[in-house]
Amino acid sequence: MKRVIKIMLKTLVMIGVLSGACTAWIIWSNRTFGETFYTLYSRKIETPVRAVLLTDLHEKRFGENNQELILRIGELKPDLILIAGDALNKMQPDIEYVIRLCQSLSEIAPVYYGLGNHENEIVYGTDLNKNYLESKAEALGENQEDFSPLIQNGELLERLEENGIQVVQNQSVEALIKGNIIEIGGISTNLSSFWPYSGQFVYGFSQQDQDNFKILISHRPELVTQYIAGYPIDLVVSGHNHGGIIRIPGLGGLISADGGFFPECDEGMIEWEEMTMVISRGLGGHGSVPRVFNQPELVIIDIN
């Protein structure tokens, strides 16, 4: 009997030690970030270009004023920095947080900012879904892709523009980077409102000037997989699903940001014909649920 009790006590102690170690690792991993490198080859690029991708920060801080993150990005020597949405939280957003971050990043390389669903709710008062946009048809007028008449709080957009940050919302900009012509566009509508509120822009963006390298920032990856996979867009960058929040070894992410289980678009690189999509696990959290086996991720894309 004593031997059985001894074995049980040892087992309980071992379980306690393992649980404590696992909890400590989860806490540590949520306070740090890992790096994932991807390489993309294109005949449109003559001089190699490095892009750094940040998504889903949700006001997360790595060091005071994000100095750990900013210093590491500087060490990586990017030629452009892409922010694929949800840097802020829609509830009580700290706009100074994102302005300070973007100011520091812009001293390293040009910054291109695509809005996420949290920015949509900050700027427009709601996510850009079909019912909402259809109810605002009169305000939108003939140009359904221009959401500026719907702005309820323009502070974020104004402050980003004042600091030289290029926001891409159903529009694109042309950049000359190390001798390469790169077009960078962005969309932030949700699945229900992709057509016609963003779809027409994406089609035109993909068809024009096809000798130029094209990057599309799409916060939600499902817009791409369901509607435009295979379009002649060289690179799409996305986030939104936080890597599935809780990752199960061998199975991937458990839950999407929209509530579905085992999302297909939780991380990694996907290729279709002329298009490559890179999905980041993101850098921040999702409410009070901790990231489990899912270290925050900084993505580096080398385009050769």
Side-chain angles (χ1 to χ4, degrees):
M1 184 69 178
K2 288 183 178 178
R3 187 169 181 273
V4 172
I5 293 173
K6 193 174 182 180
I7 291 171
M8 289 177 64
L9 287 172
K10 284 184 175 179
T11 302
L12 289 172
V13 169
M14 186 176 294
I15 290 171
V17 169
L18 289 173
S19 297
C22 186
T23 300
W25 185 87
I26 289 171
I27 293 171
W28 173 83
S29 70
N30 274 266
R31 292 178 178 175
T32 62
F33 60 90
E35 299 170 6
T36 303
F37 289 78
Y38 297 99
T39 302
L40 178 62
Y41 297 94
S42 173
R43 61 174 178 78
K44 301 177 184 179
I45 296 296
E46 295 185 3
T47 306
V49 170
R50 168 167 284 186
V52 163
L53 169 64
L54 297 84
T55 74
D56 302 283
L57 274 152
H58 290 284
E59 299 179 22
K60 178 83 172 183
R61 287 171 171 81
F62 296 95
E64 186 176 356
N65 292 327
N66 268 317
Q67 282 305 301
E68 293 176 16
L69 179 64
I70 293 162
L71 286 172
R72 180 54 186 151
I73 292 173
E75 291 171 351
L76 289 164
K77 300 185 185 309
D79 301 300
L80 68 159
I81 297 169
L82 308 170
I83 299 179
D86 283 6
L88 294 171
N89 292 317
K90 61 185 179 183
M91 304 299 290
Q92 297 182 324
D94 181 2
I95 291 178
E96 289 302 322
Y97 163 90
V98 80
I99 297 302
R100 284 195 302 269
L101 175 63
C102 287
Q103 284 174 335
S104 297
L105 293 176
S106 66
E107 294 175 3
I108 299 170
V111 178
Y112 301 88
Y113 197 125
L115 304 186
N117 50 292
H118 279 250
E119 283 93 353
N120 280 345
E121 297 207 26
I122 292 165
V123 174
Y124 304 106
T126 187
D127 199 1
L128 295 176
N129 59 63
K130 183 179 179 181
N131 289 341
Y132 171 73
L133 291 173
E134 287 183 346
S135 72
K136 302 294 183 179
E138 185 175 347
L140 288 172
E142 295 183 2
N143 186 359
Q144 295 177 307
E145 300 166 17
D146 178 10
F147 302 136
S148 56
L150 309 182
I151 292 174
Q152 295 186 21
N153 183 348
E155 182 184 0
L156 173 62
L157 300 181
E158 291 168 3
R159 296 287 305 282
L160 288 170
E161 183 180 356
E162 288 170 2
N163 285 277
I165 308 305
Q166 181 67 60
V167 177
V168 282
Q169 167 84 303
N170 284 349
Q171 64 180 20
S172 63
V173 295
E174 186 178 289
L176 183 63
I177 300 175
K178 295 174 72 173
N180 306 290
I181 300 176
I182 298 180
E183 294 184 38
I184 304 162
I187 51 175
S188 65
T189 46
N190 68 21
L191 282 167
S192 72
S193 58
F194 181 76
W195 296 108
Y197 298 102
S198 291
Q200 296 302 315
F201 158 73
V202 173
Y203 179 78
F205 175 69
S206 70
Q207 297 301 313
Q208 67 188 15
D209 300 322
Q210 293 194 15
D211 289 334
N212 298 340
F213 191 88
K214 298 179 188 296
I215 298 174
L216 179 70
I217 302 174
S218 174
H219 176 69
R220 287 180 165 94
E222 292 83 4
L223 291 174
V224 181
T225 60
Q226 295 194 30
Y227 295 131
I228 64 170
Y231 267 39
I233 299 171
D234 301 284
L235 174 63
V236 181
V237 293
S238 298
H240 187 58
N241 288 322
H242 297 234
I245 305 171
I246 298 170
R247 294 190 65 77
I248 301 173
L251 293 178
L254 178 62
I255 188 168
S256 75
D258 293 322
F261 286 97
F262 298 106
E264 292 183 10
C265 302
D266 58 348
E267 69 161 356
M269 176 184 280
I270 305 173
E271 296 178 296
W272 305 272
E273 300 172 6
E274 300 175 71
M275 177 187 289
T276 297
M277 180 166 70
V278 171
I279 306 166
S280 170
R281 298 196 309 272
L283 285 156
H286 192 271
S288 60
V289 180
R291 300 170 68 112
V292 179
F293 303 122
N294 182 16
Q295 188 182 25
E297 178 184 45
L298 181 68
V299 169
I300 303 94
I301 306 169
D302 288 311
I303 309 167
N304 300 313

